Amino acid sequence: MRKIHLLRVAMLAITVMLCASTFAFQTSHPKRQFRGAWIQCVNGQFEGIGTAKMQATLISQLDELQKIGVNAIIFQVRAECDALYPSKYEPWSKFLTGKQGKAPFPYWDPLQWMIEECHKRGMELHAWINPYRAKTKSTMELAANHIVLQHPERIFSYDGLSILNPGIPENRNYICKIVEDILQRYDIDGLHIDDYFYPYPVSGLSIPDIREFSIYGGGFGNIKDWRRDNVDRFIKDLSETIHKIKPWVKFGVSPFGIYRNIKNAPNIGSKTNGLQNYDELYADVLKWINNGWVDYCVPQLYWEIGHKAADYKELIQWWNRYAGNRPLYIGEDVLRTVRHADPQNPRLHQLPAKHRLHQQSENVQGTVLWYSTSVVKNPGNYATLLRTNYWKYPALQPLMPFIDDKAPKKPRSVKTKWSKDGYYLTWKAPKAKQWNDEAYKYVIYRFAPDETIDTEDASHILAITCDNRIKLDYEKGSTKYTYVITALDRMSNESAGKKKKVKL
């Protein structure tokens, strides 16, 4: 009897271990989730490689990201007061052609090309700019029309960088003018800025803005408060610029991952010990969120669970607690995630544990991956886990009712028809009078004969597309499926569904 009892105990232990291992990879599949990836130029991955090779590289990345489940690309188009698009204000980027001011050959417009490539894959395109940085450390030669040469009085140098001085009002206006030009010429879905406001502090160096403080700092007894106000004013002005021109364009910010340390702010700080947005970058991110000046926030939580100075678990819980007044997405470092073991299960890297923290955080509505090249190389099967588990089914974008909460009308004239290359389901756009009534994308759901029609179940989403048709897999015409087509507007408000039964 004792042997039988011990055998039962051993079998129970094995069962518990198998269940625990399985649970580590189980996930729910929310219907709405921001699934972004950053594509940066500043690391030089495109510098001087030529039009054909850059396009081939981007197509390869976009195809893989689409398979993984990514639904938004954040594409860097302005790294140092330059441009990866034709601009009448700023020179072509050296990170595109190898020399600042030199146009690409054969000629093309990377921003317009990326918009088209993303949209035909059902992805959003968010144009990413670095607002204040005017020259990186690696840039040795500037184009004649670059702002550092045209207006040196509006620039300060710091640790090898050139910075548009945030304390000079003309610089705020200048950046807004650049963004206004992008908005008027390009059909972008979002405008994105990252964590470069005042420069990252270097020991022994002070910011050379005493003169500007004496001119513009009236009313501020503290230069740090004045610096924060400069950045506040810029964020507010940029937000108003964006939504005045195109109300549907989402303004997103990706701040450094620590707002304040608890030792500096006992009432609100996180249990961390690192660089702070508020105190050292002069970025009062919570103020921007709570005042509605930004539409989404992506704190860069690039550390691992258990990091001594900046624990990922502590930080995701902090941001979830304090930054829920606007959609909150988490910036994830792919390589650091797979290089570190789960403290609770050393056999696994940290993706499953981090994902569980996402699920437990009610205000976290998505993820942005740093960075696209790392993702597609699939270290630690990171991309495979997204494709086969966490992001197995397509997802709609999170809602932003503070911009628009009215759904469009449902699609019209849903039909099937044969074409030369196969059998298609087609539909027409609903009628609309203004931008917030117009259908921008469509969601196609499919249900087998024995399945309940439930459009809240993401597993039935066949595709999210900008097209007005989808190719069907026709077999013998003996099985009747029900398709439901809904329309999405610019803010992903979803219409009622239009049903169509189809024999395949």
Side-chain angles (χ1 to χ4, degrees), residues 188-224:
I188 60 174
D189 301 288
L191 193 287
H192 184 90
I193 62 175
D194 56 14
D195 56 327
Y196 292 101
F197 302 105
Y198 277 87
Y200 277 48
V202 175
S203 179
L205 290 182
S206 58
I207 296 172
D209 61 352
I210 299 297
R211 177 178 176 273
E212 286 72 28
F213 178 55
S214 68
I215 297 172
Y216 302 107
F220 290 94
N222 186 313
I223 195 170
K224 293 184 177 182

Side-chain angles (χ1 to χ4, degrees), residues 233-246:
R233 288 172 180 265
F234 163 67
I235 295 294
K236 185 175 185 291
D237 288 351
L238 184 55
S239 178
E240 291 174 351
T241 297
I242 292 167
H243 292 122
K244 180 180 178 180
I245 298 171
K246 289 184 176 177

Side-chain angles (χ1 to χ4, degrees), residues 460-480:
H460 290 286
I461 298 177
L462 188 64
I464 301 171
T465 178
C466 296
D467 292 333
N468 288 72
R469 67 174 193 165
I470 187 170
K471 191 174 183 179
L472 303 177
D473 293 325
Y474 186 85
E475 294 182 3
K476 299 178 181 179
S478 57
T479 305
K480 184 182 287 186

Side-chain angles (χ1 to χ4, degrees), residues 265-332:
N267 294 329
I268 199 174
S270 54
K271 295 175 183 177
T272 52
N273 183 26
L275 181 75
Q276 303 164 100
N277 278 291
Y278 184 92
D279 300 82
E280 287 138 326
L281 301 179
Y282 307 103
D284 191 352
V285 183
L286 289 191
K287 183 176 182 179
W288 312 339
I289 292 169
N290 291 328
N291 284 347
W293 296 342
V294 297
D295 299 321
Y296 68 86
C297 179
V298 192
Q300 298 171 19
L301 305 192
Y302 291 165
W303 303 279
E304 69 272 15
I305 298 169
H307 190 283
K308 291 181 180 180
D311 176 34
Y312 179 95
K313 181 178 180 180
E314 162 69 16
L315 284 167
I316 192 173
Q317 292 175 343
W318 187 94
W319 285 96
N320 179 66
R321 188 180 310 120
Y322 291 106
N325 283 348
R326 282 293 185 262
L328 173 63
Y329 317 139
I330 302 300
E332 302 276 359

Side-chain angles (χ1 to χ4, degrees), residues 39-153:
I39 297 182
Q40 82 277 42
C41 69
V42 76
N43 66 343
Q45 64 174 321
F46 307 127
E47 192 169 333
I49 66 175
T51 300
K53 188 174 180 180
M54 182 171 171
Q55 289 181 351
T57 299
L58 288 168
I59 285 174
S60 176
Q61 289 187 19
L62 292 176
D63 286 346
E64 288 303 309
L65 294 170
Q66 182 184 24
K67 292 175 186 175
I68 291 164
V70 168
N71 59 19
I73 297 296
I74 300 176
F75 182 54
Q76 189 175 30
V77 299
R78 181 181 184 266
E80 50 177 2
C81 292
D82 55 3
L84 267 75
Y85 60 93
S87 170
K88 61 183 178 181
Y89 301 112
E90 297 183 320
W92 284 102
S93 176
K94 78 155 192 178
F95 296 112
L96 176 65
T97 63
K99 182 179 180 180
Q100 192 177 94
K102 180 181 178 182
F105 182 82
Y107 186 86
W108 69 307
D109 182 341
L111 176 54
Q112 180 60 35
W113 185 89
M114 278 291 287
I115 291 169
E116 293 170 3
E117 291 294 321
C118 287
H119 286 178
K120 75 183 184 182
R121 290 170 173 82
M123 298 173 171
E124 291 190 345
L125 188 285
H126 293 224
W128 164 20
I129 71 166
N130 302 87
Y132 293 116
R133 186 172 62 199
K135 186 187 79 66
T136 61
K137 293 182 181 181
S138 65
T139 298
M140 299 299 148
E141 183 180 1
L142 297 173
N145 65 330
H146 193 271
I147 192 167
V148 169
L149 301 181
Q150 292 288 316
H151 291 283
E153 75 282 1

Side-chain angles (χ1 to χ4, degrees), residues 13 16 203 446:
V16 170
S203 179
R446 180 173 121 151

